[in-house]
Amino acid sequence: MKTIGVYTSGGDAPGMNACVRAVVRTAIFYGLKVKGIMRGYEGMIHNEIIDLERQSVANIIQRGGTFLKTARSKEFMTSEGRKKAYENLKKHNIDGLVCIGGNGSYTGANIFNEEFGMPCVGLPGTIDNDLFGTDFTIGYDTAINTALDSIDRIRDTAHSHERVFIVEVMGRDSGFIALDVAIAGGAEGALIPEDIEDWDKVIKHFNRPGKRKKSFSIIVVAEGDERGGALVLEKRLKELYPDLKIRSTILGHVQRGGSPSARDRILASRLGSEGVKALLDGKQSITVGIISNEVVYTSFEEAITGKKTVSKDMIELAEILAI
Ligand code: F6P
């Protein structure tokens, strides 16, 4: 292996730049050439491929987003698209890939490897933390801290106006962000897709016998909750408890931006470096993750189909602390 390509794909996440930096610097350290593929699979198909040197990744470790840009490519889902992508990689003599992204990005890389035998290593980059094969994904720590900062601010106004605030957070189909943020933000309830019975618990919360009377509350809802998001819950609560003063806030994409936390920079740096080493060791079609502080390799197959679930203990903890 002489030249590797690196790209970011799917939703961006704080720490992606730090990860690209680690890939580039580690590759150069081991005598490899590195190419940056712009806009993930879109750039592969449209030949947007640039040379990356040691200096190309200077002064980016602290920046949110991804300087390589990112996209979700429909064309790469077609075999013609993937063929074009392969031909472009060959033009640039790329003989190994590092893909930083989530499940959809892994799926693309896995198919690509099956079709063209291109060695590819996946690194978990998403704010959702929903990827199997790693304790934490790049961007998650920053995202929960960003959401928490907003919740602390909402708490101030909730307290002043004696209102109930429903805060909807991201996470796609998973409740990692919602549950952690609910615990860290002292919320009265967390509605997450992994615990659908919680709906009634949240509703009942407002007239639970013996419940201390508090004039304000924060409830965190995961966007992927099948019972609906913040606005649905607000409507239901208003019908049941017309006297409550309720407001909803959807945090949205603010959670994806910002300078990565120290934890995310360290995780991204470690994974970026280990990704290159894995390629050099001849590994392919795997993801690199960290579990209990150890580097772990997981096949794409397993990473794509495996389900990482929130801990039952944490669900219970959120409930206990909300009494
Ligand atoms: O996967 C990251 C994520 O931010 C999810 O939490 C969210 O559901 C989705 O991406 C939003 O995607 P988009 O930016 O395309 O609207």
Side-chain angles (χ1 to χ4, degrees):
M1 191 164 294
K2 294 207 170 71
T3 306
I4 63 166
V6 58
Y7 58 101
T8 49
S9 167
D12 64 349
M16 279 183 162
N17 280 326
C19 192
V20 175
R21 172 181 179 270
V23 169
V24 171
R25 298 249 163 120
T26 306
I28 292 170
F29 180 87
Y30 287 110
L32 296 173
K33 282 196 175 139
V34 198
K35 305 272 179 172
I37 302 162
M38 303 298 295
R39 299 176 183 81
Y41 296 113
E42 283 292 294
M44 248 185 236
I45 293 169
H46 300 289
N47 198 19
E48 292 178 276
I49 299 176
I50 57 171
D51 291 332
L52 293 177
E53 312 294 342
R54 190 181 59 83
Q55 272 304 106
S56 324
V57 289
N59 198 26
I60 63 166
I61 196 167
Q62 78 285 14
R63 297 209 185 136
T66 160
F67 85 104
L68 291 179
K69 321 266 186 195
T70 185
R72 294 190 172 103
S73 174
K74 286 218 169 74
E75 212 180 337
F76 198 77
M77 291 178 191
T78 66
S79 57
E80 300 81 57
R82 292 192 293 274
K83 191 162 172 289
K84 276 194 222 165
Y86 181 71
E87 280 158 9
N88 286 328
L89 294 183
K90 283 290 107 188
K91 276 185 212 153
H92 290 269
N93 299 317
I94 292 173
D95 41 21
L97 289 173
V98 176
C99 158
I100 307 165
N103 229 302
S105 316
Y106 289 173
T107 305
N110 195 32
I111 297 172
F112 199 56
N113 177 268
E114 280 168 10
E115 286 178 348
F116 299 101
M118 174 65 72
C120 187
V121 162
L123 304 178
T126 166
I127 62 162
D128 301 336
N129 199 34
D130 58 347
L131 296 179
F132 190 80
T134 192
D135 284 341
F136 299 107
T137 55
I138 297 164
Y140 177 66
D141 185 64
T142 310
I144 57 173
N145 278 295
T146 302
L148 187 60
D149 181 60
S150 301
I151 287 179
D152 287 347
R153 288 162 195 261
I154 288 169
R155 178 175 274 281
D156 290 344
T157 179
H159 181 254
S160 310
H161 284 267
E162 302 185 281
R163 285 171 172 165
V164 174
F165 267 84
I166 304 167
V167 184
E168 183 178 312
V169 297
M170 278 189 166
R172 203 177 286 275
D173 304 323
S174 73
F176 286 98
I177 296 179
L179 189 57
D180 275 358
V181 156
I183 291 171
E188 306 282 339
L191 261 76
I192 58 169
E194 294 87 346
D195 183 29
I196 46 169
E197 281 166 26
D198 210 25
W199 174 264
D200 279 340
K201 281 184 218 152
V202 171
I203 301 287
K204 283 180 202 146
H205 160 86
F206 291 95
N207 58 357
R208 207 186 297 162
K211 167 86 187 154
R212 86 196 129 100
K213 290 283 168 258
K214 247 178 86 180
S215 57
F216 73 99
S217 294
I218 306 277
I219 296 170
V220 180
V221 189
E223 64 173 357
D225 194 286
E226 67 190 49
R227 293 155 292 192
L231 298 175
V232 174
L233 180 60
E234 178 180 329
K235 191 163 171 274
R236 179 123 187 244
L237 281 178
K238 275 184 174 159
E239 281 161 12
L240 289 169
Y241 307 102
D243 293 343
L244 283 181
K245 293 180 273 178
I246 309 175
R247 295 288 186 277
S248 290
T249 303
I250 298 173
L251 292 185
H253 287 80
V254 71
Q255 295 159 96
R256 286 239 297 261
S259 179
S261 66
R263 284 241 156 268
D264 271 331
R265 295 184 203 190
I266 294 163
L267 178 67
S269 300
R270 202 171 166 196
L271 290 175
S273 193
E274 291 297 335
V276 174
K277 289 188 206 165
L279 272 180
L280 284 169
D281 283 349
K283 295 190 172 64
Q284 51 179 298
S285 284
I286 52 126
T287 69
V288 185
I290 309 277
I291 296 181
S292 303
N293 209 25
E294 298 286 336
V295 176
V296 171
Y297 308 107
T298 307
S299 70
F300 271 145
E301 217 56 67
E302 212 187 334
I304 293 161
T305 54
K307 182 97 185 102
K308 182 157 124 194
T309 50
V310 297
S311 133
K312 288 216 160 50
D313 292 353
M314 294 292 272
I315 295 176
E316 196 193 7
L317 177 65
E319 258 175 67
I320 293 172
L321 299 185
I323 55 167

